[in-house]
Amino acid sequence: MSSSHQVQHEHHDMMQTNQPHDMDMMNHGGHMMHMGNMALKLKVAIILMIPLLLISPIAGFTILKFPGSELVQLILGTAIFSYSGTPFFSGAKGELKSHKPAMMMLITMGITVAYAYSVYATIITLTGGMAMNFWFELSTLIVIMLIGHLIEMKAIMGAGDALKDLASLIPKKAHLKNGKDIDISELQVGDTILVKENEKIPADGLILGSANIDESMITGESRAVNKKPNDPIYGGSLNQNIPFEMTVTTIGKDSFLNQVAELVKNAQSQKSNLENMADKVAGYLFYAALSVGIISFIFWAITSSFSFALLLAVSVFVIACPHALGLAVPLVVSRLTSISSKNGLLIQNRTSLEQIHSIKYALMDKTGTLTDGKFKVRKVIDFTGRTDILQLMATLEQSSTHPIALSIVNSAKDLPLLSAENVQNIPGVGLSGQILGKTYEIVNLKYLRKQQLKFDDTRVLEFLNLGLTLSFLIDEEKNVLGFIALGDSPKNDAKAFIAGLLAQGIIPVMLTGDNQATAEKVSTSLNIPEFRAELNPEDKANLVKEYQKKGGVLFIGDGVNDSPALATADIGFAIGAGTSVAIATADVVLVNSNPSDVLDMINISKKMLRKMKQNLWFGAGYNIIAIPIAAGIIYPFTGLYIDPLIAAVLMSASTVIVSINAMSLKYDKKTTDR
């Protein structure tokens, strides 16, 4: 197998491992529990519980009693405990190994105490004595606990559906141009393949014809995108109308969907500050429940009876199981990553989103963020009377991928380009290189003024007043030969985006390497209150630090030149679809490249935090109230107490409530109040 085949095969396998069978498990204390095994253990427990309930004393009354029924109770109860209780024993073992006792330890303590005492009570009864056993409570307790865990696991699986959805987008086969069908793991860069009508595209590439493509898996928008020859298309998109051929350009780890899957997977595995706090509280809860349970047992053993004391101690251990607290945050953040990915928002660092309420400033790059980055050459000005300004600049720029460079090269497509040597980037300025043995540089206006080079100020000011970007050509004697005036346009939703930020109480600040006049023109047209112009990439990071002294800062940029600023900001948003989705320094990637998607992320994050806090308050508040009641604090005054069965029902109910609240997190762009 070739190396390219091998890479594709490995990452195809990665997508396959995100299939449902891997989602059918959850981790407690480092121990993986499979949903299928737990469902079987629940069925066995229910089957054995039915005869056990018929022959066990419930509130002093037994439905069916016969000689030897106590021994049958012992056998059935032991079978339920030893087989159906194993998920809790394994989880408790994992918690002990990790030195983080929590819910599994509490459950294990509760059912072990109930089992041990029931065995003791049965032996006393079989030898002629009188003692109340807990076989009824034990069996129902295990059944309810298993049901609660299955509900929890299904909720987590539902929240993780994004990975399964992504894996299902890629078809299994691809049609080669010669008519042969091959597995997608066999595709290579450069292959020409056919995509038929209403088929999903099997790989990233360039379209050779034209078609309407449904890219909703990228953009979150159901509207079809018209693709023309050499436009990029992405694996998993849907061809809506006519068959077309395409050239494969990206496979393996660099393909769009594999990167999306990795981002979603990594985001879901991260732990936020609130989640870490919930874990700590769950750990404290174990020690609190253990202490209260022991104190309760001692108190009621002295003031009432051993059986009653044991019953309340078991109730304390059961009702204190921190399922609700443990699920309070993970389900919400898991749901968050799923919703966000479907809205074209890929979260790489979800913990940063907890700072959303502290954000006061939104610093953003101009080109490609607020403007479309599609520069057009508006005018070529030659100061010397020479006619090769465009040809020389295009020759130097032909190896660059910067939007301005691409526009210059495209404008010179009818000119014969020369050969350029020793082309080097000049950070924050432009580039230099040699053509026919002479050295030339392409520089910006800031450089000319800094070097105090002479040029026609009147001609330059004429184009600056139009809000155009100017690129100058100078020779090795530092003579300014001329310039090219270029312009791009604000994105359609840029003005609405700025208005949306201001409505949120966030002050937008535009940062650009462009000249002052152009920056002012753009900021005025978009109603941006503050801007900084003629910046180098490192200047942007320093400005982020400067604004951070006054409040929280989010930064929006293209993820390449803006990487330092993206990494410095409290929350970094990277603009860019396709392979740009791999930007490592951003917290969130805006796949659709629309700045207004930042508003969606702000609104989703606020809803996420609200759900987290609701769940944490419920999870912690429930235990603060429930544990003392289970310990019998109100029994002397009301005669009411909680037995283990009711404790299990209440504990499971709290888990279900928290799960439902987490899964109710929804976001609809059409109905958002942004």
Side-chain angles (χ1 to χ4, degrees), residues 357-411:
H357 287 294
S358 70
I359 298 300
K360 187 176 179 181
Y361 297 95
L363 276 59
M364 64 202 74
D365 184 41
K366 176 181 77 71
T367 304
T369 300
L370 293 171
T371 62
D372 57 22
K374 298 176 181 177
F375 284 87
K376 292 182 179 178
V377 173
R378 305 294 173 88
K379 195 73 175 177
V380 179
I381 301 297
D382 182 0
F383 288 149
T384 66
R386 298 166 63 176
T387 59
D388 57 358
I389 295 291
L390 179 60
Q391 183 189 42
L392 290 173
M393 293 180 72
T395 297
L396 289 174
E397 297 278 26
Q398 60 186 320
S399 61
S400 174
T401 58
H402 191 279
I404 290 178
L406 295 175
S407 300
I408 292 174
V409 173
N410 185 61
S411 183

Side-chain angles (χ1 to χ4, degrees), residues 490-507:
K491 292 183 177 179
N492 293 332
D493 61 348
K495 196 167 186 177
F497 165 59
I498 297 300
L501 286 174
L502 291 169
Q504 294 267 13
I506 298 173
I507 300 171

Side-chain angles (χ1 to χ4, degrees), residues 34-338:
H34 293 262
M35 191 164 176
N37 292 343
M38 193 172 288
L40 177 61
K41 292 179 185 298
L42 174 61
K43 290 176 183 177
V44 171
I46 292 174
I47 291 170
L48 297 179
M49 180 185 71
I50 295 172
L52 185 58
L53 296 184
L54 293 175
I55 61 177
S56 295
I58 304 173
F61 177 75
T62 304
I63 298 174
L64 182 62
K65 188 164 182 155
F66 54 87
S69 60
E70 291 84 2
L71 186 59
V72 176
Q73 291 175 41
L74 174 63
I75 294 171
L76 292 175
T78 299
I80 293 173
F81 176 76
S82 59
Y83 177 71
S84 298
T86 51
F88 311 118
F89 307 148
S90 299
K93 183 179 178 182
E95 289 178 357
L96 280 175
K97 281 185 177 180
S98 62
H99 304 292
K100 293 181 179 179
M103 63 183 72
M104 289 304 182
M105 281 294 296
L106 286 170
I107 296 173
T108 298
M109 276 199 303
I111 62 177
T112 300
V113 170
Y115 175 74
Y117 180 74
S118 295
V119 171
Y120 163 77
T122 300
I123 293 172
I124 295 296
T125 303
L126 289 173
T127 55
M130 289 283 291
M132 183 183 75
N133 63 56
F134 291 154
W135 294 122
F136 163 72
E137 288 82 1
L138 175 66
S139 60
T140 51
L141 182 59
I142 290 176
V143 166
I144 291 172
M145 291 290 187
L146 287 172
I147 291 173
H149 271 69
L150 284 169
I151 292 172
E152 173 186 346
M153 291 166 72
K154 285 183 177 179
I156 291 174
M157 286 171 60
D161 277 344
L163 288 175
K164 293 186 288 183
D165 292 343
L166 288 171
S168 66
L169 286 173
I170 293 293
K172 301 289 188 296
K173 297 285 184 180
H175 314 299
L176 291 180
K177 186 178 180 180
N178 62 17
K180 180 182 177 183
D181 286 357
I182 63 170
D183 190 272
I184 61 165
S185 63
E186 299 177 32
L187 283 175
Q188 293 192 52
V189 172
D191 283 346
T192 300
I193 58 177
L194 171 69
V195 181
K196 299 179 181 178
E197 184 179 358
N198 295 319
E199 277 190 345
K200 288 181 179 177
I201 298 170
D204 298 357
L206 299 176
I207 187 170
L208 299 179
S210 61
N212 289 324
I213 306 297
D214 178 358
E215 292 187 338
S216 56
M217 64 95 184
I218 299 172
T219 65
E221 301 287 343
S222 58
R223 177 170 51 88
V225 180
N226 181 252
K227 295 288 184 176
K228 299 175 182 178
N230 292 320
D231 280 350
I233 51 179
Y234 305 107
S237 303
L238 178 66
N239 174 22
Q240 286 195 337
N241 52 0
I242 58 174
F244 63 82
E245 290 184 351
M246 62 173 286
T247 301
V248 176
T249 59
T250 310
I251 58 175
K253 65 180 180 180
D254 294 325
S255 68
F256 176 79
L257 276 183
N258 271 317
Q259 292 188 44
V260 172
E262 278 298 302
L263 290 178
V264 174
K265 186 177 175 183
N266 291 338
Q268 289 185 342
S269 67
Q270 294 168 352
K271 284 207 169 186
S272 67
N273 295 331
L274 285 173
E275 191 171 358
N276 287 329
M277 184 179 75
D279 287 344
K280 287 182 180 179
V281 173
Y284 296 147
L285 187 60
F286 166 78
Y287 295 107
L290 181 61
S291 302
V292 171
I294 292 172
I295 293 171
S296 173
F297 174 77
I298 294 172
F299 176 81
W300 291 112
I302 295 171
T303 61
S304 181
S305 67
F306 180 79
S307 296
F308 185 68
L310 190 61
L311 182 132
L312 292 188
V314 171
S315 294
V316 169
F317 296 146
V318 171
I319 210 165
C321 293
H323 278 67
L325 193 59
L327 282 174
V329 176
L331 280 181
V332 176
V333 291
S334 219
R335 179 71 175 156
L336 165 77
T337 54
S338 177

